[in-house]
Amino acid sequence: MKILLEKSDERHTLSAADINSMLQAYGMSADRKTVYSDIETLREFQIDIVQVKGTNVGYYIGRREFELPELKLLVDAVQSSKFISRKKSEELIKKLESLTNEYDARLLQRNVFIYNRPKTGNETIYYNVDQIHTAILENKQITYQYAEWTVQKKLVPKRNGAVYTVSPWSLTWDDQNYYLIAYDDAADVIKHYRVDKMQQVQIIENTRAGKERFQNFDLAEFAKKTFGMYGGHDAEVTLVCKNELAGVILDRFGKGTMLIPQDEEHFRVHILVSVSRQFFGWTAGIGKEMKIAGPESAKEEYKKYLQEILEGYL
């Protein structure tokens, strides 16, 4: 089975003689009848072994658990994830390579060098995620220290190493970062934290709090309204956009968003967002083709945001 999985595909068939020759590298040998019998046994255990007859007689593995395009997609996901360190990325990709034959594995290896993407240096994120998942499954709270970057490029604990205690309820992936969605019992609010900035994560015996707050919690809606996972105050905002921005709005807020025609060139949209500097930054990045039409308080906050930036260039 190992030989067939690693050495065969529809372009590389193995005859009984080929298999016997390769078995010798393992200090084994078998006659043809034994090879045929073993192949039938593998088929009984749902290994898809295809027999080719004619001039290129032999066997190869047909259907596999993962097809090559699926593995390429998983490799790309691992590479593009900022929260997975380069070392862990290489380890994961090596494991993905083992799910195909050695010929297709080379195609995955070529992609390993397409990095040019920022990667976390925090090796503990794997273990943080495992601890958080365990706490969620066991309905327990966690404690940890939360860190921030310094100018010296060091990750140091905030608030002089203060220990945070929260009830973890979910993990989400946003803007290539992993976030913990948790309930802060002391403040009675739902908060989110970058998992790669969490240190000394420990599970404690306290039962999770905030169950009633999460009974109707919609993680997808939370992620849509929270730009860059930065907090703000929730408000229903009306945007007036040029028609060519329909795709931008639907990509950001979902295909179910109602686009209301305003005139031949513009449409209006009412969206629930977390009004914050990150939301204003997204709006400003799109430019004059999109305007905040209401509420008045959001318009005034946006004007103040833009004015503060302009003052830095006067």
Side-chain angles (χ1 to χ4, degrees), residues 71-94 96 115 117-119 126 173 176:
L71 291 174
K72 286 182 176 179
L73 183 136
L74 291 172
V75 166
D76 285 345
V78 170
Q79 288 177 338
S80 64
S81 301
K82 290 193 295 186
F83 67 84
I84 305 177
S85 69
R86 179 170 297 211
K87 179 183 175 184
K88 287 294 183 184
S89 294
E90 291 171 350
E91 290 176 3
L92 270 175
I93 291 169
K94 184 62 66 177
L96 290 172
Y115 272 107
R117 295 161 178 158
K119 285 283 193 179
Y126 260 38
W173 190 359
Q176 300 180 42

Side-chain angles (χ1 to χ4, degrees), residues 50-220:
V50 180
Q51 182 178 10
V52 178
K53 297 181 180 180
T55 54
N56 191 28
V57 64
Y59 300 90
Y60 70 90
I61 296 291
R63 179 180 52 81
R64 295 174 181 267
E65 194 69 28
F66 289 93
E67 300 296 332
L68 183 60
E70 295 172 327
L71 291 174
K72 286 182 176 179
L73 183 136
L74 291 172
V75 166
D76 285 345
V78 170
Q79 288 177 338
S80 64
S81 301
K82 290 193 295 186
F83 67 84
I84 305 177
S85 69
R86 179 170 297 211
K87 179 183 175 184
K88 287 294 183 184
S89 294
E90 291 171 350
E91 290 176 3
L92 270 175
I93 291 169
K94 184 62 66 177
K95 291 177 180 179
L96 290 172
E97 289 171 12
S98 70
L99 298 175
T100 188
N101 60 66
E102 63 181 27
Y103 312 105
D104 287 343
R106 294 190 190 117
L107 300 177
L108 299 177
Q109 289 168 5
R110 288 192 306 176
N111 290 337
V112 174
F113 303 101
I114 308 175
Y115 272 107
N116 293 328
R117 295 161 178 158
K119 285 283 193 179
T120 181
N122 185 359
E123 290 288 335
T124 63
I125 188 168
Y126 260 38
Y127 310 105
N128 288 350
V129 170
D130 183 58
Q131 286 280 78
I132 292 167
H133 275 304
T134 301
I136 291 172
L137 289 171
E138 295 181 355
N139 198 33
K140 301 294 184 184
Q141 294 184 352
I142 60 170
T143 62
Y144 59 93
Q145 293 176 318
Y146 202 56
E148 61 184 347
W149 288 103
T150 67
V151 177
Q152 292 75 31
K153 299 181 181 179
K154 293 182 179 179
L155 202 58
V156 299
K158 294 179 68 174
R159 294 170 51 188
N160 297 317
V163 176
Y164 294 71
T165 302
V166 297
S167 299
W169 285 93
S170 184
L171 284 163
T172 186
W173 190 359
D174 184 82
D175 192 27
Q176 300 180 42
N177 288 307
Y178 230 154
Y179 290 88
L180 164 66
I181 310 298
Y183 176 69
D184 185 333
D185 196 12
D188 188 28
V189 292
I190 294 173
K191 293 184 176 180
H192 51 270
Y193 304 90
R194 281 262 300 267
V195 177
D196 59 307
K197 292 184 178 181
M198 296 171 65
Q199 298 178 335
Q200 308 297 327
V201 178
Q202 294 185 7
I203 301 171
I204 59 176
E205 288 304 310
N206 297 8
T207 301
R208 286 189 304 172
K211 182 178 180 180
E212 61 284 352
R213 297 289 298 271
F214 280 87
Q215 282 179 337
N216 298 313
F217 181 74
D218 190 325
L219 183 57

Side-chain angles (χ1 to χ4, degrees), residues 27-39:
M28 304 165 65
S29 63
D31 58 35
R32 292 192 179 194
K33 288 184 178 180
T34 303
V35 171
Y36 299 150
S37 174
D38 287 350
I39 285 174

Side-chain angles (χ1 to χ4, degrees), residues 288-299:
K288 62 181 182 180
E289 287 77 16
M290 182 169 72
K291 295 180 181 179
I292 298 176
E296 199 62 34
S297 59
K299 289 171 64 176

